Amino acid sequence: AGPDEADEAVRGTCEDASVCKRFAVSVGYWEDPYIQCFVRQAKERKAPEINRGYYARVHGVSYLLKAFLKKTECNCQIVNLGAGMDTLFWRLKDENLLPRKYFEVDFPMIVARKIHNIKSKPPLSKPIIESHSGDSLLIDSHSLDSSRYSIVGADLRFSSDLEEKLKKHNLDIHLPTLLIAECVLVYMTPQQSANLLKWAASTFPVAMFINYEQVNMTDRFGQIMIENLQRRQCNLAGVEVCRSLEAQRERLLLNGWENAHAIDMMKVYSFLPQADVKRIEELEFLDEKELFEQLMQHYCICWASKDSSNLGLADITF
Ligand code: SAM
């Protein structure tokens, strides 16, 4: 695949992620009244292993994110990198947990689609309008800027363009900032993701980075996962960083971050509130426990912080 086809395939992954999330929500794994505004219902059922995997992904990221919101008392910003059709802004608003400002970034083509959905669906537009104050809300086909929610079309491989666009939307580098990359870095070369991490670490004096992606990809199971993605023309340019938890942690430490952690999703799953885990385990019968465990050992959550204000970000853990 040429570079344009490869980017197109990467954009396709955004649809995949949301379709799987919508399916898991429809079975009852967690609540998200907004996801249905962004994607169709899946044509076929997704396997229980997949649904549980998405449950752990959504809850694992949300666990760390809420710890960050608590430490900063929501006096912070969130920058969701490669956000796709993520609904976090709307869910946080419902829980009264909005940061001072919530930013999303994705390819302009994805952003245009998201803005189209926001404009045409009141459940999405109302919360943005309600939380807006001051001057008129800025909206065109490729960007939207309100007081609490902003979305910009940019290529994450070009950090100066990214920074310029975010600053136009009033990004405040002095506010504690949480950056999230959920299944995004693997589509960039190690050099490109290193640049992005370095940019973030050097731009924000008080910040945390959460990265969710593949790990342990060098074994047989990992190789099969790679082949499956490659068959769909997806360029996993960054997969070599996904060789081990240690490589994931090292990338964060080498690019300006402190206190880096990396744990696989089986561990994350065991740390999630067990009463809710018990509830979801009763939703669907899981035949192949071993397959589930293998799948979970091939994804991880990594997080790191830098904390010149001593907010206690280094203490955040499961
Ligand atoms: N984070 C969302 C989630 O977990 O539901 C979407 C994940 S999807 C697998 C990857 C997303 O990253 C896609 O929306 C894709 O367009 C975006 N992405 C990948 N590389 C990018 C780049 N270089 N610049 C901007 N967005 C990118």
Side-chain angles (χ1 to χ4, degrees):
D4 290 346
E5 284 109 324
D7 280 358
E8 189 49 41
V10 169
R11 286 188 285 264
T13 62
C14 146
E15 173 90 5
D16 278 0
S18 316
V19 168
C20 289
K21 285 178 182 175
R22 175 166 177 180
F23 185 79
V25 165
S26 76
V27 179
Y29 281 85
W30 70 94
E31 277 180 34
D32 182 345
Y34 304 104
I35 188 88
Q36 67 190 59
C37 299
F38 286 114
V39 282
R40 62 189 164 78
Q41 178 63 294
K43 285 192 202 80
E44 291 140 30
R45 291 191 73 81
K46 304 282 172 190
E49 292 81 5
I50 305 284
N51 299 331
R52 275 192 202 181
Y54 272 93
Y55 169 84
R57 164 173 169 177
V58 168
H59 285 75
V61 171
S62 153
Y63 188 93
L64 294 174
L65 170 129
K66 287 192 175 158
F68 179 86
L69 289 170
K70 201 163 181 193
K71 293 272 186 208
T72 59
E73 297 174 341
C74 295
N75 235 324
C76 63
Q77 329 173 98
I78 296 178
V79 183
N80 195 336
L81 303 165
M85 298 299 139
D86 201 284
T87 57
L88 188 58
F89 167 80
W90 291 271
R91 288 180 285 129
L92 288 177
K93 171 145 193 316
D94 283 347
E95 291 186 64
N96 232 333
L97 282 176
L98 275 191
R100 285 241 222 124
K101 192 152 178 174
Y102 184 95
F103 296 86
E104 294 188 328
V105 184
D106 210 296
F107 283 122
M109 206 186 277
I110 300 286
V111 166
R113 196 156 95 215
K114 193 158 191 176
I115 291 176
H116 173 78
N117 284 321
I118 293 173
K119 275 206 256 186
S120 55
K121 311 223 160 121
L124 300 177
S125 55
K126 259 173 91 188
I128 294 177
I129 295 164
E130 267 171 29
S131 59
H132 183 71
S133 59
D135 295 345
S136 66
L137 196 147
L138 185 148
I139 180 162
D140 58 39
S141 58
H142 287 94
S143 72
L144 186 164
D145 188 29
S146 71
S147 339
R148 306 297 284 277
Y149 174 79
S150 147
I151 177 164
V152 298
D155 188 327
L156 298 169
R157 293 168 293 195
F158 303 103
S159 54
S160 54
D161 178 55
L162 170 68
E163 178 170 338
E164 193 183 312
K165 286 177 169 160
L166 289 171
K167 280 187 169 160
K168 271 200 193 127
H169 287 197
N170 295 322
L171 177 83
D172 177 358
I173 59 162
H174 298 295
L175 266 185
T177 301
L178 172 64
L179 300 112
I180 304 173
E182 194 181 317
C183 265
V184 174
L185 300 185
V186 70
Y187 302 110
M188 294 178 213
T189 66
Q191 184 67 52
Q192 290 161 344
S193 63
N195 285 343
L196 180 65
L197 288 166
K198 221 181 281 172
W199 164 79
S202 62
T203 301
F204 304 99
V206 182
M208 175 165 161
F209 200 104
I210 302 177
N211 174 36
Y212 170 90
E213 70 181 346
Q214 289 87 345
V215 75
N216 298 326
M217 297 304 268
T218 48
D219 66 13
R220 181 78 197 110
F221 193 89
Q223 290 303 310
I224 294 170
M225 284 169 64
I226 296 173
E227 281 160 24
N228 276 331
L229 277 153
Q230 278 169 347
R231 209 167 297 135
R232 295 162 43 206
Q233 313 294 319
C234 239
N235 178 17
L236 296 179
V239 80
E240 72 176 77
V241 185
C242 303
R243 64 184 179 277
S244 67
L245 291 168
E246 198 38 47
Q248 287 280 11
R249 220 172 71 82
E250 204 168 72
R251 169 170 63 177
L252 289 161
L253 294 172
L254 285 174
N255 291 296
W257 292 86
E258 299 156 11
N259 310 302
H261 309 257
I263 62 177
D264 75 48
M265 293 309 289
M266 206 54 222
K267 264 240 165 78
V268 171
Y269 192 68
S270 73
F271 290 148
L272 291 177
Q274 290 302 301
D276 200 52
V277 168
K278 190 164 178 296
R279 177 189 67 81
I280 67 111
E281 286 186 342
E282 284 164 5
L283 287 175
E284 292 182 290
F285 178 67
L286 193 131
D287 207 5
E288 299 229 35
K289 244 198 146 132
E290 209 172 305
L291 176 63
F292 172 66
E293 285 175 11
Q294 282 211 319
L295 201 58
M296 298 288 271
Q297 279 155 6
H298 287 80
Y299 285 94
C300 66
I301 292 186
C302 321
W303 69 101
S305 59
K306 8 172 344 218
D307 188 3
S308 56
S309 309
N310 295 321
L311 295 175
L313 300 184
D315 306 335
I316 292 178
T317 188
F318 281 94

